[in-house]
Amino acid sequence: MSKYTFRSIEEKWQNYWAQNQTFAAKNDAVGQPKFYVLDMFPYPSGAGLHVGHPLGYIASDIYARYKRHKGFNVLHPQGYDSFGLPAEQYAIQTGQHPSKTTQENIARYREQLDRMGFSFDWQREVRTSNPDYYRWTQWIFIQLYDSWYDTVQDKARSISDLIAIFEQAGSGALNEDLNAVLMQNLPEELTSFNAEQWQGFTPEQKETILSEFRLTYLAESEVNWCPALGTVLANDEIVNGVSERGGHPVVRKKMKQWSMRITAYAQRLLDGLENIDWPEPLKESQRHWIGRSQGASVRFDIKGHQGQIEVFTTRPDTIFGVSFLTLAPEHELVAALTTPEHKEAVEAYVTASAQRSERERMADVKTISGVFTGAYAIHPLSGVQLPIWIGDYVLAGYGTGAVMAVPCGDQRDFDFAKHFDLPIPNIFKDISIENEAYALKDPCIIDQSDFLSGLNYAQACLAAIKALEDCGHGHGTINYRLRDAVFSRQRYWGEPFPVYYKNGMPQMIDPEHLPIVLPEVDAYLPTEDGDPPLGRADQWAWDTEAHCVVAKELIDNKTVFPLELNTMPGWAGSSWYFFRYMDPNNQSEFASAQALDYWGSVDLYIGGSEHATGHLLYSRFWVKFLFDRGFIGVDEPFKKLINQGMILGESAFVYRSADGKQLVSAGRIKDYDAQILQSVHCDVAMVSLTNELDLEQFVAWRPEYNSAEVITEADGTFKVKREVEKMSKSKFNVVNPDDICDQYGADTLRLYEMFLGPLEQSKPWSTAGITGVHGFLKKLWKLYHSGDVESFCVSEQRPSSDALKVLHKTIKKVNADIQEFSFNTSVSTFMIAANELTALKSNQREILEPLAVLIAPYAPHIAEELWALMGHKQSIAAVAYPEHDEKYLVEATKTYPISFNGKTRFTLELAMDLSKEQIEAAVMADERTIAQLQGGTPKKVIVVPGKIVNIVG
RNA sequence: GCAGAAGUGGUGGAAUUGGUAGACACGCUGGACUUAAAAUCCAGUGGACAGAAAUGUCCGUACGGGUUCAAGUCCCGUCUUCUGUACCA
C-alpha cells in the first residue's frame, strides 16, 4: 500500500484539482494582491508536445504555485495560437478542414498538458481561431483603421478628430511632421488644402488623404510571388531565388495589401524598453530592429530637372566631402533622370538587379556594380555639380533609397568611387585616406569644408544642419530602420478582415455585426486568377442592408459588395490574447474594464527568444495603441520576461557505406575511409543508454538494410554516434513527455527538467540522470514512512536542533532560489535536505509539514498526497509558504566570541564560516596577530584554517 | 563585420557575487543484500607526487598578463564556441 505509487497518486490529484477548481482565479478578490503568470501559448502542431515544450510551462507553474502559497490571487491561464500554416498545408494535401485538424491537435495537447499537473485555470482557455475570440481581433483592426497618430499629443486619436480638424482648418492646422506625411505619397492637389477645399473633395479624395494617417491602411507592397505554386512566400521559404518546396522561380510582385503603421510608434517602442524587466539581449535586438539613427535629411536639386533627390545621412558634418549621389535601382526618379545616351545601360542594370533576389544581393557584398545616369545634382551649399549614379549597394527599403556619397568617410562609398574612378576629396585634417575611408566620428577636425573647417564632429553637424535649414535644402531628422508591417496574407486559415469594398474603396463592417466568420471553400488553394483561397468561397459578399454575409452572386454594388479576400497574419491573434484571459467569455467587450483594470499587465511572461522581433514587438505596439485609445490602462504588456532555453535532442546516427551494403558501428568507422561512409538518422527509441542499437528493430524499420553486412564492435554490439540537434520529428530524436510520465511520473519529469540546468540556457535532453531525481522522490516518500512495510509514520515529537537547522537552511535557500528563478539549484537543495534528514532519521511533523509545502510547487502530486496523509482535508495549494527562522541558523552568523590567555575576550567578524576551534587555533598559531588583537576589536579578520591572513580595522 | 551570451572533473552543472573550487546528480569502482539479476543501501571518485594507512605536499576554473592578504568571480589582451543581425548611408 505504501510504496511510492506515482501513477495512482498523480491521477488522483489531477482529478481532484479539476473537480475542485483548485486553480480558478477570481476577478473580484478584494484585498488580495494579484499576480499574472503567463506562458507563450503554443501552436498546436500535429507532432504533439515533446519534452522541450514543457520546460517553460514547468517554470511558470512553479512560480504560479509559489505565488499562491504566498497569498496572491494568481492568474495562470493557457490557450492555443490556433491559426497557422501547418494546418493549412495539411488541408491542401488531404482536403481535411483546418479547423478539424486543429481541434484534434488541441485535444492531444490538452491530454499531454494535463498529465504534467499544471495549475492552469482551464476555464479561461482561449483559441485564436475561435470566432468568439477573433471577433475581437477584427474589432481591434477596425479601431486601428479608425485611428491616426497625433505627433503633437504623441498618441493615437480617433480619425473623427482628424476629420474635424480638416473641416475646421484644413491641412494648415497640422504640425510639420504631419504635413510631411501629406507631402510624401499624395498627388500634388491633395498635399495642401484649406477647410473649403477639404469640403469640396470627393469621398475618394478624402479617403486617399485619410489613409495616409490611418494606423492600418491599404498600400501597394512587394511580395514574393511564386506563379507555379500560386502563392506568396515568406522570405525564409525562398532559397537561392527559388521556392524551398519544389524549386520554382519566385518573382517580386506588387500587391494591394493591408499594412500596420507600427512606425508611428517607433520612438515609444524604443523608450518603453527602459521600464520593463526583460533580458538585455532581447531588448538589444528590439532596439536594433527599430534602428533609430539621428542625422539629417538633405535635398539635392537636379540640374535641368524639376524634382529633388532626398537623402538621409548620419554625417551631415561631411557634407562638403560629397562627390556623387547614388540611387537604389528601384528609386522612383531613376527613369526620369537618366539621359538618353545612358538609357540603355541603366535599364539593363535595373532589370538585372530586379532579377536578383534580395538575399542574393545581401550575400554578395564584395562585387561592386553600378551605372551612371548622365544626370547631375547640385550641391546645396557649394553649388558644385555632382554626378548621379545607380548602385545596388543602396537599398530601396532603408531611408529614402538614395545616399550622398562621401568616399572619404564611408567604406562603401570609397570602394564605389575607387572602382568607377570618381573623385575622393579628403575633408579630414591630418588623416590619410590613401587606402581606406575614415569612418570614425570622433577625434578629428573637419577640413576643406568652407565654414565647417576647423570644427569637430558635433559642432560641424549642428552648423551643417543650420545651413541646410537656412537655404531650405534639409533639416535635422531621425530615421528608423523599422518598417510598417504587412498585415495581409494570401491564406485561408487566418482571421478574415471585417472589410468590404465599395467602388474599390475599403469599408469597415459595423463592429456590432462581428464576427465575420471564415467561409467554407472547396479547396485551400489560390484561385486560377491568383486570388487568395477566400476567392473560392461562394458565400462571401456583404449585404449592407441585412448586415450579413451573403452569396457572391448577389453582388450588385448597390447594397451587396465583395468582401476582402486576404486573411490576417499569425501575429494578429497573438498580439492581444493576454487580455482575453482576463475575461474570456465576455460577449460585449474584448474584456470588461473591471477585469482589465484589476489584472493590469502580465507580471511574469515566460517563452522563447525567437519571438523577439515578432510577437513581442507587435504585442507592445497593439498594447500602446489600445492604451492611447483608452481601452486599457497599461501601455506595456509584459513587465518581466524570461526566455527559457531550448531543449535539444540527442540524435543518433548509423554509419553506412555509400552503396548501403554495409552498416558500420561507430567504434569501427576509423577502419574505413571516411569519404565513403554516410551517416543516417535513426530513431532514438531504438538506441540504449550505452548507444547500442537494437538492430532487429532498425532493420524492421528500414528494410532496405535487410541484407546489409553489419560491422560490429569487438564485443559484438552495434553502436550509433550521438549528436546534439534541435528536437524534430524529421530527425527521429523526439522524446515524448508521456513516456517519461509513464515510466517515472510527472513529478519526476518536472523536477528533472528543472534539474537539467539554468532555465535560460539551452541544453540537450538526456534521460541519463533521471533516476537520480526519481530516487530523490522515493527517498522523500520514505521520510514520511517507516518500517519494513513502509507504513505512514510521522512523529509528534519535537525535532532535534540539527533537524531544524536542515529545515530552515532549506527554506531559506529555496525561497531565495524561486525569487531568482534558479529552479535547478533548489532541486539540489531538496536532495541535500532529504539526504540529511534521512541520515538524522528525522520524521517529526514539525519538520515534515513545512517540507511538503516547500516542495509543493515543484512536485505538487507527491506533496498533496503526503499532506493528505498527514491528516489535512484541504489542498496544500492554499497553505502559506514556510518562512525560515534565523534562530535555527546560528552558525551562519559570522560573529564569534574568542578568549585567549585565559582572560581577554574579542568578538570577531569573520570573512568565512569556521568553527570556534579553528578560529582559536588560528589566533594562537599566529603570534604576529595577537598584539593587534589586543589593541582593539577588529572589524574583519581574515582567517583560513590554521592561520590568520589579515586583520582589517 | 557588428551586437549579445558563454568557456569549471568522464558528463549535466554548484560556488552565499572577491573568501577552503568541484555542492547536488549522472557515470564509474568497490562493498552489503541475493542462487542470480533488477531494485535498494554504504563507501570511494579533479590531477600529480609521497605514504601500509590516516594523511600530507604541489598543480588545477580556455590562454597570457594585472589588481588584491585572497580571483572561477574584478581589469587588460588573445583564442574558441554558441545566439541574434547584417551593404542601415
Side-chain angles (χ1 to χ4, degrees), chain A residues 398-414:
Chain A
Y398 183 76
T400 59
V403 300
M404 56 176 228
V406 183
C408 66
D410 183 285
Q411 193 58 44
R412 292 155 304 170
D413 295 343
F414 183 91

PDB file of all heavy atoms in Angstrom, chain A residues 398-414:
ATOM      1  N   TYR A 398      15.626  51.229 -47.145  1.00  0.00           N
ATOM      2  CA  TYR A 398      16.125  51.958 -45.990  1.00  0.00           C
ATOM      3  C   TYR A 398      16.262  53.432 -46.334  1.00  0.00           C
ATOM      4  O   TYR A 398      16.751  53.789 -47.409  1.00  0.00           O
ATOM      5  CB  TYR A 398      17.470  51.403 -45.535  1.00  0.00           C
ATOM      6  CG  TYR A 398      17.984  52.097 -44.295  1.00  0.00           C
ATOM      7  CD1 TYR A 398      17.444  51.815 -43.045  1.00  0.00           C
ATOM      8  CD2 TYR A 398      18.969  53.076 -44.382  1.00  0.00           C
ATOM      9  CE1 TYR A 398      17.874  52.476 -41.915  1.00  0.00           C
ATOM     10  CE2 TYR A 398      19.417  53.739 -43.254  1.00  0.00           C
ATOM     11  CZ  TYR A 398      18.867  53.438 -42.023  1.00  0.00           C
ATOM     12  OH  TYR A 398      19.301  54.096 -40.907  1.00  0.00           O
ATOM     13  N   GLY A 399      15.885  54.294 -45.422  1.00  0.00           N
ATOM     14  CA  GLY A 399      15.989  55.729 -45.642  1.00  0.00           C
ATOM     15  C   GLY A 399      15.151  56.118 -46.847  1.00  0.00           C
ATOM     16  O   GLY A 399      14.002  55.708 -46.979  1.00  0.00           O
ATOM     17  N   THR A 400      15.745  56.875 -47.749  1.00  0.00           N
ATOM     18  CA  THR A 400      14.983  57.324 -48.927  1.00  0.00           C
ATOM     19  C   THR A 400      15.370  56.544 -50.172  1.00  0.00           C
ATOM     20  O   THR A 400      14.923  56.841 -51.267  1.00  0.00           O
ATOM     21  CB  THR A 400      15.262  58.819 -49.191  1.00  0.00           C
ATOM     22  OG1 THR A 400      16.672  58.972 -49.405  1.00  0.00           O
ATOM     23  CG2 THR A 400      14.827  59.662 -48.010  1.00  0.00           C
ATOM     24  N   GLY A 401      16.234  55.556 -50.019  1.00  0.00           N
ATOM     25  CA  GLY A 401      16.692  54.798 -51.182  1.00  0.00           C
ATOM     26  C   GLY A 401      17.715  55.553 -52.010  1.00  0.00           C
ATOM     27  O   GLY A 401      17.929  55.241 -53.175  1.00  0.00           O
ATOM     28  N   ALA A 402      18.320  56.574 -51.387  1.00  0.00           N
ATOM     29  CA  ALA A 402      19.351  57.346 -52.077  1.00  0.00           C
ATOM     30  C   ALA A 402      20.367  57.800 -51.043  1.00  0.00           C
ATOM     31  O   ALA A 402      20.001  58.052 -49.896  1.00  0.00           O
ATOM     32  CB  ALA A 402      18.733  58.563 -52.762  1.00  0.00           C
ATOM     33  N   VAL A 403      21.641  57.863 -51.421  1.00  0.00           N
ATOM     34  CA  VAL A 403      22.637  58.354 -50.483  1.00  0.00           C
ATOM     35  C   VAL A 403      23.479  59.441 -51.116  1.00  0.00           C
ATOM     36  O   VAL A 403      23.664  59.492 -52.332  1.00  0.00           O
ATOM     37  CB  VAL A 403      23.593  57.236 -49.978  1.00  0.00           C
ATOM     38  CG1 VAL A 403      22.815  56.140 -49.269  1.00  0.00           C
ATOM     39  CG2 VAL A 403      24.432  56.671 -51.111  1.00  0.00           C
ATOM     40  N   MET A 404      23.970  60.352 -50.266  1.00  0.00           N
ATOM     41  CA  MET A 404      25.015  61.264 -50.712  1.00  0.00           C
ATOM     42  C   MET A 404      26.323  60.557 -50.412  1.00  0.00           C
ATOM     43  O   MET A 404      26.585  60.152 -49.283  1.00  0.00           O
ATOM     44  CB  MET A 404      24.922  62.618 -49.992  1.00  0.00           C
ATOM     45  CG  MET A 404      24.972  62.564 -48.477  1.00  0.00           C
ATOM     46  SD  MET A 404      24.963  64.211 -47.744  1.00  0.00           S
ATOM     47  CE  MET A 404      26.315  64.062 -46.566  1.00  0.00           C
ATOM     48  N   ALA A 405      27.115  60.317 -51.440  1.00  0.00           N
ATOM     49  CA  ALA A 405      28.312  59.505 -51.257  1.00  0.00           C
ATOM     50  C   ALA A 405      29.462  60.372 -50.781  1.00  0.00           C
ATOM     51  O   ALA A 405      29.801  61.376 -51.413  1.00  0.00           O
ATOM     52  CB  ALA A 405      28.672  58.810 -52.563  1.00  0.00           C
ATOM     53  N   VAL A 406      30.035  59.997 -49.639  1.00  0.00           N
ATOM     54  CA  VAL A 406      31.195  60.687 -49.090  1.00  0.00           C
ATOM     55  C   VAL A 406      32.325  59.667 -49.041  1.00  0.00           C
ATOM     56  O   VAL A 406      32.516  58.988 -48.040  1.00  0.00           O
ATOM     57  CB  VAL A 406      30.892  61.225 -47.676  1.00  0.00           C
ATOM     58  CG1 VAL A 406      32.083  62.017 -47.150  1.00  0.00           C
ATOM     59  CG2 VAL A 406      29.637  62.071 -47.670  1.00  0.00           C
ATOM     60  N   PRO A 407      33.064  59.511 -50.120  1.00  0.00           N
ATOM     61  CA  PRO A 407      34.038  58.424 -50.210  1.00  0.00           C
ATOM     62  C   PRO A 407      35.098  58.465 -49.113  1.00  0.00           C
ATOM     63  O   PRO A 407      35.559  57.416 -48.667  1.00  0.00           O
ATOM     64  CB  PRO A 407      34.679  58.623 -51.581  1.00  0.00           C
ATOM     65  CG  PRO A 407      33.813  59.567 -52.310  1.00  0.00           C
ATOM     66  CD  PRO A 407      33.003  60.330 -51.319  1.00  0.00           C
ATOM     67  N   CYS A 408      35.444  59.665 -48.635  1.00  0.00           N
ATOM     68  CA  CYS A 408      36.499  59.697 -47.633  1.00  0.00           C
ATOM     69  C   CYS A 408      35.995  59.242 -46.268  1.00  0.00           C
ATOM     70  O   CYS A 408      36.789  58.914 -45.388  1.00  0.00           O
ATOM     71  CB  CYS A 408      37.104  61.092 -47.534  1.00  0.00           C
ATOM     72  SG  CYS A 408      35.942  62.313 -46.907  1.00  0.00           S
ATOM     73  N   GLY A 409      34.669  59.187 -46.068  1.00  0.00           N
ATOM     74  CA  GLY A 409      34.139  58.873 -44.742  1.00  0.00           C
ATOM     75  C   GLY A 409      33.323  57.604 -44.667  1.00  0.00           C
ATOM     76  O   GLY A 409      32.842  57.235 -43.611  1.00  0.00           O
ATOM     77  N   ASP A 410      33.144  56.908 -45.788  1.00  0.00           N
ATOM     78  CA  ASP A 410      32.337  55.696 -45.777  1.00  0.00           C
ATOM     79  C   ASP A 410      32.978  54.675 -46.690  1.00  0.00           C
ATOM     80  O   ASP A 410      33.270  54.957 -47.860  1.00  0.00           O
ATOM     81  CB  ASP A 410      30.913  56.014 -46.256  1.00  0.00           C
ATOM     82  CG  ASP A 410      30.018  54.783 -46.183  1.00  0.00           C
ATOM     83  OD1 ASP A 410      30.171  53.879 -47.051  1.00  0.00           O
ATOM     84  OD2 ASP A 410      29.177  54.721 -45.279  1.00  0.00           O
ATOM     85  N   GLN A 411      33.232  53.496 -46.148  1.00  0.00           N
ATOM     86  CA  GLN A 411      33.992  52.499 -46.890  1.00  0.00           C
ATOM     87  C   GLN A 411      33.288  52.071 -48.184  1.00  0.00           C
ATOM     88  O   GLN A 411      33.921  51.876 -49.207  1.00  0.00           O
ATOM     89  CB  GLN A 411      34.253  51.280 -46.003  1.00  0.00           C
ATOM     90  CG  GLN A 411      35.283  50.321 -46.545  1.00  0.00           C
ATOM     91  CD  GLN A 411      36.631  50.991 -46.785  1.00  0.00           C
ATOM     92  OE1 GLN A 411      37.126  51.760 -45.965  1.00  0.00           O
ATOM     93  NE2 GLN A 411      37.221  50.727 -47.948  1.00  0.00           N
ATOM     94  N   ARG A 412      31.968  51.958 -48.150  1.00  0.00           N
ATOM     95  CA  ARG A 412      31.262  51.511 -49.361  1.00  0.00           C
ATOM     96  C   ARG A 412      31.328  52.579 -50.446  1.00  0.00           C
ATOM     97  O   ARG A 412      31.531  52.282 -51.620  1.00  0.00           O
ATOM     98  CB  ARG A 412      29.800  51.197 -49.028  1.00  0.00           C
ATOM     99  CG  ARG A 412      29.647  49.982 -48.145  1.00  0.00           C
ATOM    100  CD  ARG A 412      28.376  50.052 -47.379  1.00  0.00           C
ATOM    101  NE  ARG A 412      28.313  51.297 -46.606  1.00  0.00           N
ATOM    102  CZ  ARG A 412      27.246  51.731 -45.987  1.00  0.00           C
ATOM    103  NH1 ARG A 412      26.119  51.078 -46.087  1.00  0.00           N
ATOM    104  NH2 ARG A 412      27.294  52.847 -45.291  1.00  0.00           N
ATOM    105  N   ASP A 413      31.158  53.845 -50.028  1.00  0.00           N
ATOM    106  CA  ASP A 413      31.291  54.938 -50.986  1.00  0.00           C
ATOM    107  C   ASP A 413      32.717  54.982 -51.545  1.00  0.00           C
ATOM    108  O   ASP A 413      32.934  55.229 -52.730  1.00  0.00           O
ATOM    109  CB  ASP A 413      30.967  56.279 -50.310  1.00  0.00           C
ATOM    110  CG  ASP A 413      29.512  56.362 -49.861  1.00  0.00           C
ATOM    111  OD1 ASP A 413      28.697  55.551 -50.350  1.00  0.00           O
ATOM    112  OD2 ASP A 413      29.194  57.229 -49.024  1.00  0.00           O
ATOM    113  N   PHE A 414      33.660  54.728 -50.651  1.00  0.00           N
ATOM    114  CA  PHE A 414      35.080  54.731 -51.031  1.00  0.00           C
ATOM    115  C   PHE A 414      35.350  53.668 -52.097  1.00  0.00           C
ATOM    116  O   PHE A 414      35.945  53.936 -53.143  1.00  0.00           O
ATOM    117  CB  PHE A 414      35.916  54.457 -49.778  1.00  0.00           C
ATOM    118  CG  PHE A 414      37.402  54.494 -49.998  1.00  0.00           C
ATOM    119  CD1 PHE A 414      38.105  55.677 -49.823  1.00  0.00           C
ATOM    120  CD2 PHE A 414      38.103  53.343 -50.360  1.00  0.00           C
ATOM    121  CE1 PHE A 414      39.482  55.714 -50.015  1.00  0.00           C
ATOM    122  CE2 PHE A 414      39.469  53.382 -50.561  1.00  0.00           C
ATOM    123  CZ  PHE A 414      40.169  54.572 -50.385  1.00  0.00           C
TER     124      PHE A 414
END
